Amino acid sequence: MGILEMTISRANTALVMKSGNDSEGTIGGNPFKTINGAITAINGATGITIYVFPGIYDEKIIMPSGNSLRGVSSSTVVIRQQNVGVNTTLLTMGENTRVEDITLLLTSSNHVDLIGVAFPGTTSQTAKIRTTSITVDNSTASTTGTSNVYGVHSFGTGNPPDSVDTIRASVITVNSAGLGIKRALMVNTNANRFNCRDSNLLITNAGGVGSYIGAEVNQAGAQLVIRASTVQGVTADISQTAGMLSISTTNLHNSHANNLGFSTVLQPSMIIWGDPGGLPKGAVRFYRPGSAAVSTTEIFIRLSQKCLLKALSLRAVTGPGISNTDTWTIRKNGIDTPLTVSLTGSQTSTINNNVSVSFQAGDSLSLKVTTSSGTAVSDTVLQVDVF
C-alpha cells in the first residue's frame, strides 16, 4: 500500500527532508528538499527553526541571523562537502543562531584551506552549537603541501560572559597531512572570547611537519575557555600563543601545552620547596621538598603520572642585593628546563607564568639554584603548579 506522508502545519518551522521540494516548500507548510532552500524562503525573517529529517545534504550553510537549525539526530543528519578543490567553509554561524543535533563533514584530497565552522562578527557571544559532530579531513593530501585546516575558527569580536558556552557537548575532529596550521579549535584575528564545554577536540597527523595543535588562542586580548573537555593534539594539546587560555577539569591527552603557560580555573596541585636561612654564595645547590637546607646532592621527585609543570613562583625575605642575580631552575631527569625564575637586587618575589614543561610517568623532577658570589638572599620558598 506504500507510505502516506502527511505534513502538519507548524508555524515558524521549515521542514527539510529528502522527499521535499524547494519550489513547493513553505515556512510552516510543505517540506523543502535542501537546507538552503529553506534558508532562501526565510528571506530575512527571524524566529524560524529549520528542522532537518534524516539524510545526507551536500551543501554549504550560512546561517541567517536570528534563526536555528536542528537535526532529528546527529547520527542520521549529515551536512557535507566532499573532496573540495577550493578554500571552503562548511558552516558559517550568524548572529543569534543555534545549530544542534547534526553531523558536519568537510573533506578534500588537496591542500586547500578548510574550516568546519566559522564564528565571525560577535557570533562567539550570540551563537551556539550543541550536540554536533564536526569533522574536517584532508589526510589524503600530500605530506609536502601546505594548507590551513580548522575544525572551528573564531575570528570575530564577540565576548560572551563566563556563563555562556559557544560550543557544548560536541566532538571536533581534524585529520590532516602536510605543512600548515592545523587546529581543532582556533581563536585569533580579533580580540574575542570563546567558551567551549563538555566537548572532545582531536587532531591527527597523517604525515608532514605542519603545526598540529588541539586548541590555540593566538591574538592579544582574546580568550579561550575550555571546561570539562578532552583535548588531544600532536605538536601540542593546547597553545596560549597570545591572549589567554583558561582550562578547568579538562584532560590534556598528551600533557603538552606547546611549552607555554596557561591559566586554570581551579587551584592545581602544587609542589613546594623551602630553605630557611641564607643560601651559599657563588654556588650551585639543589632543594629538598618541604623545608630544609639546600644540598650539594641533587634531590629527585619521581612523578607517577604524566603532567604539566607551570607557574613557578618564588618568595624570599631578603633579595640577592645590589648587582647580584640568583636563578632557580626546574630540572627534568637531571637536565635544565626553560621553567626558571630569577631575583635581582632588592627583588624578593617573582613568578614565571609563560612557560610549561611536560613530564611523563616515571620522570624525575628536581629544583636547582645558582647564586651569585655576593648574594644576600635568604628564607626562600618556591612552588610550582602541577596540572
Side-chain angles (χ1 to χ4, degrees):
M1 294 178 61
I3 298 175
L4 177 64
E5 185 176 277
M6 180 178 294
T7 301
I8 301 173
S9 178
R10 297 176 175 86
N12 299 321
T13 300
L15 302 181
V16 178
M17 56 183 62
K18 300 305 290 184
S19 60
N21 187 312
D22 284 349
S23 62
E24 297 177 1
T26 58
I27 306 298
N30 292 332
F32 298 89
K33 186 177 182 63
T34 67
I35 298 167
N36 277 301
I39 289 174
T40 299
I42 288 175
N43 193 29
T46 59
I48 307 297
T49 295
I50 303 171
Y51 201 71
V52 186
F53 282 76
I56 296 174
Y57 299 86
D58 291 302
E59 308 181 53
K60 292 183 292 184
I61 305 299
I62 298 177
M63 281 297 297
S65 295
N67 299 285
S68 63
L69 172 66
R70 183 169 187 175
V72 171
S73 166
S74 60
S75 298
T76 58
V77 177
V78 179
I79 300 173
R80 72 180 187 184
Q81 290 282 278
Q82 290 189 297
N83 200 25
V84 299
V86 297
N87 297 346
T88 300
T89 298
L90 184 59
L91 170 64
T92 301
M93 300 299 288
E95 303 291 343
N96 296 295
T97 58
R98 184 181 179 103
V99 173
E100 57 188 319
D101 295 330
I102 61 172
T103 288
L104 297 169
L105 177 61
L106 176 59
T107 70
S108 179
S109 58
N110 303 294
H111 278 293
V112 293
D113 292 344
L114 304 174
I115 300 173
V117 182
F119 284 85
T122 63
T123 55
S124 67
Q125 177 177 335
T126 66
K128 298 177 178 65
I129 285 185
R130 299 289 185 266
T131 55
T132 292
S133 174
I134 304 163
T135 299
V136 183
D137 190 331
N138 74 333
S139 58
T140 59
S142 72
T143 59
T144 57
T146 301
S147 54
N148 297 330
V149 181
Y150 304 145
V152 172
H153 186 199
S154 180
F155 52 89
T157 58
N159 284 289
D162 190 64
S163 59
V164 174
D165 297 313
T166 313
I167 288 184
R168 190 166 187 169
S170 296
V171 178
I172 306 167
T173 304
V174 169
N175 305 311
S176 192
L179 292 76
I181 301 171
K182 326 289 186 173
R183 302 289 185 268
L185 173 55
M186 169 65 97
V187 178
N188 65 2
T189 307
N190 293 295
N192 65 107
R193 174 172 172 153
F194 196 96
N195 297 337
C196 176
R197 183 183 179 92
D198 302 324
S199 296
N200 293 328
L201 285 67
L202 169 65
I203 189 162
T204 63
N205 181 356
V209 292
S211 176
Y212 292 74
I213 296 176
E216 178 184 15
V217 57
N218 189 4
Q219 177 65 42
Q223 184 175 6
L224 172 58
V225 180
I226 303 175
R227 301 184 182 89
S229 299
T230 295
V231 187
Q232 181 176 352
V234 179
T235 306
D237 297 321
I238 60 173
S239 182
Q240 181 183 270
T241 310
M244 178 180 292
L245 175 59
S246 179
I247 61 177
S248 173
T249 57
T250 290
N251 175 34
L252 302 182
H253 188 270
N254 295 306
S255 293
H256 201 304
N258 210 22
N259 301 321
L260 299 171
F262 60 95
S263 300
T264 54
V265 175
L266 300 177
Q267 179 66 43
S269 300
M270 294 179 294
I271 297 174
I272 298 176
W273 299 267
D275 177 89
L279 293 177
K281 300 178 185 296
V284 174
R285 294 291 187 269
F286 298 94
Y287 277 73
R288 307 170 189 267
S291 181
V294 293
S295 170
T296 57
T297 302
E298 189 164 8
I299 311 299
F300 293 102
I301 301 171
R302 182 185 182 277
L303 298 175
S304 60
Q305 63 184 29
K306 64 181 180 181
C307 60
L308 280 164
L309 265 64
K310 68 180 196 68
L312 178 62
S313 63
L314 164 65
R315 288 186 178 275
V317 172
T318 306
I322 297 173
S323 301
N324 295 311
T325 298
D326 298 341
T327 300
W328 289 258
T329 303
I330 290 291
R331 285 164 61 87
K332 174 180 174 181
N333 299 327
I335 300 173
D336 290 356
T337 74
L339 187 51
T340 67
V341 291
S342 295
L343 293 181
T344 299
S346 61
Q347 185 181 9
T348 58
S349 65
T350 186
I351 185 171
N352 184 346
N353 264 325
N354 300 318
V355 175
S356 63
V357 179
S358 296
F359 282 74
Q360 298 300 313
D363 282 345
S364 295
L365 164 68
S366 57
L367 176 64
K368 180 182 80 173
V369 61
T370 304
T371 61
S372 55
S373 59
T375 187
V377 74
S378 67
D379 297 298
T380 53
V381 177
L382 295 98
Q383 70 182 49
V384 69
D385 292 349
V386 182
F387 185 87

